[in-house]
Amino acid sequence: MFLNLNKLRLSDTVVTKRSQNLTINIENKSQQGYSGSLGTLNIHAEETAESKTTVEFVFRCTNLENKDVFSKSDPFLKISRNAESGVTIPICKTEVIHNNLNPTWQPVCLTMLQLDNPLIIECLDFDISGKHELIGCLQAMIHICTSKVQRSMSDLKNLHKEKAGANFVATHHGRNKVLNGELFVDMYREKPTYSFLDYLSSGFELNFMVAVDFTSSNGNPKKPHSLHYIDPSGHLNAYQRAILEAGEVLQFYDSDKRFPAWGFGGRTPDGNVSYCFNLNLSPHESEVNGVEGIMAAYTYSLQNVALAGPTLVGKVIDKASQIAAKSVSQNSYKYHVLLLITDGVLTDLQETIDALVKASDLPLSILIVGVGNADFTEMEANS
């Protein structure tokens, strides 16, 4: 499958259109030639201004209309905004809460750029077929456009401040009917967000950390087919290459060149499977000296740790987050980069996502490097 752009640069093609809209045919290409259309891709471009502020919301609903016969609705919120051209652009969806007419969703973070235009907030009943049924839109504070209600950011801020609810409406036979269901904003918080370059330009040093997968799916380290095989000829395995390539770049931004290094998913010399053990097997100290120290600790662990499993990385991320949080509390100018190397799909995917969300406000980046032939599609989709 490919997008036929007639060899033109996509950005130039879109922005030079008078409406800044472009529709592209998606075609299937085989060795014998084209074998039919797979649909179209609609692209809209607009100019935006830079903003480093994000807004965190917690949404809650009460008395939603039940759309199911034998159970209760499975509601989620869909938030969209209108572009200057009038095109509706989805920007966010909450998670689905099953069998609940009074749901409270996990926090939603939106940038000021996303909130620049009036919002369209819809509550839908999830259907596994993808044909979600509209429960309702918010009652108009500004105006109703077709069947959708637009809310500005200030409206949502006022809902939180006044602890008030906004009624949903539904369209029946061309008329808008006010429903009993209400939406509440339980939390509204504006906070600055900083990029990696912001930290570096402000004088932060980098602190490199690494975590290595010691699960049995890597194969017996004594066998040449193993991802952990130490080749006597000196040829580096996949883990050694990842450590060396990332470490050689990042170490120049760290003045003391002492790097925390851990392993996870291995059976340590005490007989227990650990999901965050010091790579040098020290009972107290995880830091090693330089990239050479990481490589030496990795080799030492391979000689003394039995591969086990499953692949759980939540504890490693929590450990890295603790170090980053400590540096913030001590006002030290450190930006932390955790290199997490694994050969397979994470077993604790939801725990990992939760740990990443908790760490999102810290000066911490996490690089997940996949080695071997495992399918990392699910990890990429949820990163």
Side-chain angles (χ1 to χ4, degrees):
M1 184 175 71
F2 75 106
L3 302 181
N4 184 1
L5 300 181
N6 297 320
K7 298 183 180 180
L8 293 176
R9 290 180 59 193
L10 178 59
S11 59
D12 292 342
T13 305
V14 178
V15 299
T16 54
K17 292 279 187 180
R18 183 176 297 274
S19 64
Q20 294 189 337
N21 290 304
L22 178 67
T23 299
I24 298 172
N25 292 321
I26 304 176
E27 300 170 326
N28 187 30
K29 185 178 181 181
S30 62
Q31 293 181 348
Q32 292 76 28
Y34 300 110
S35 58
S37 173
L38 297 177
T40 59
L41 175 66
N42 296 315
I43 302 172
H44 172 76
E46 62 180 0
E47 185 178 1
T48 60
E50 184 178 4
S51 174
K52 296 185 182 299
T53 301
T54 61
V55 180
E56 187 173 13
F57 302 93
V58 170
F59 291 113
R60 170 174 60 91
C61 285
T62 61
N63 301 317
L64 292 177
E65 183 179 10
N66 191 15
K67 294 292 185 179
D68 295 342
V69 178
F70 300 108
S71 62
K72 297 177 182 178
S73 295
D74 306 314
F76 69 96
L77 295 180
K78 176 184 176 183
I79 304 175
S80 308
R81 68 181 181 89
N82 273 347
E84 293 179 359
S85 64
V87 176
T88 301
I89 302 174
I91 57 175
C92 177
K93 290 181 182 179
T94 66
E95 78 277 15
V96 177
I97 298 182
H98 294 281
N99 198 32
N100 196 324
L101 301 181
N102 300 283
T104 299
W105 289 277
Q106 293 293 319
V108 172
C109 287
L110 301 176
T111 67
M112 282 297 188
L113 295 179
Q114 293 171 318
L115 296 168
D116 189 41
N117 291 45
L119 299 178
I120 300 168
I121 303 178
E122 301 167 281
C123 186
L124 300 103
D125 178 28
F126 175 81
D127 191 288
I128 195 170
S129 68
K131 298 179 179 179
H132 313 306
E133 187 173 359
L134 181 66
I135 295 176
C137 299
L138 290 187
Q139 183 181 7
M141 275 186 181
I142 303 175
H143 66 275
I144 296 178
C145 179
T146 64
S147 64
K148 299 176 181 178
V149 180
Q150 300 182 0
R151 291 295 180 104
S152 70
M153 184 182 66
S154 60
D155 293 330
L156 298 176
K157 186 175 183 178
N158 288 334
L159 285 179
H160 173 255
K161 182 179 179 180
E162 298 170 5
K163 301 186 182 302
N167 284 92
F168 285 99
V169 298
T171 302
H172 296 284
H173 306 294
R175 294 187 176 182
N176 294 309
K177 176 185 177 183
V178 178
L179 305 177
N180 290 328
E182 290 183 285
L183 179 136
F184 294 83
V185 181
D186 281 353
M187 184 180 75
Y188 177 97
R189 182 177 66 168
E190 296 182 18
K191 57 183 181 180
T193 55
Y194 302 105
S195 69
F196 178 70
L197 290 179
D198 288 331
Y199 282 105
L200 288 185
S201 62
S202 299
F204 277 65
E205 289 188 19
L206 288 188
N207 185 19
F208 179 48
M209 303 181 281
V210 66
V212 178
D213 184 346
F214 278 79
T215 56
S216 56
S217 57
N218 286 280
N220 187 342
K222 297 180 180 179
K223 304 292 184 180
H225 70 273
S226 171
L227 294 171
H228 280 308
Y229 179 66
I230 303 297
D231 193 332
S233 69
H235 180 73
L236 301 179
N237 64 33
Y239 285 91
Q240 290 173 314
R241 288 198 303 273
I243 293 170
L244 192 62
E245 290 171 3
E248 284 189 336
V249 173
L250 296 175
Q251 68 174 339
F252 293 107
Y253 297 92
D254 192 314
S255 59
D256 64 10
K257 293 183 174 53
R258 289 186 57 79
F259 309 130
W262 305 288
F264 60 92
R267 191 177 302 277
T268 53
D270 63 5
N272 297 316
V273 176
S274 173
Y275 296 100
C276 185
F277 60 90
N278 295 335
L279 197 60
N280 58 9
L281 298 183
S282 166
H284 307 295
E285 183 58 65
S286 65
E287 288 188 340
V288 297
N289 290 317
V291 176
E292 298 81 3
I294 299 175
M295 299 286 272
Y298 167 68
T299 303
Y300 181 66
S301 276
L302 282 179
Q303 298 168 350
N304 294 277
V305 174
L307 305 190
T311 308
L312 307 175
V313 301
K315 293 187 184 301
V316 168
I317 295 176
D318 284 340
K319 187 68 174 180
S321 298
Q322 291 170 14
I323 293 175
K326 183 178 179 180
S327 70
V328 172
S329 67
Q330 295 176 344
N331 294 320
S332 72
Y333 287 82
K334 286 278 190 180
Y335 190 93
H336 306 268
V337 179
L338 170 62
L339 176 66
L340 199 156
I341 318 171
T342 178
D343 79 313
V345 177
L346 307 181
T347 308
D348 61 339
L349 188 57
Q350 187 57 52
E351 181 183 350
T352 301
I353 294 172
D354 293 342
L356 291 172
V357 171
K358 287 191 294 185
S360 60
D361 289 335
L362 296 172
L364 171 66
S365 290
I366 300 173
L367 310 177
I368 301 178
V369 175
V371 296
N373 298 318
D375 183 3
F376 292 91
T377 304
E378 187 175 8
M379 291 172 61
E380 181 177 341
N382 289 280
S383 63

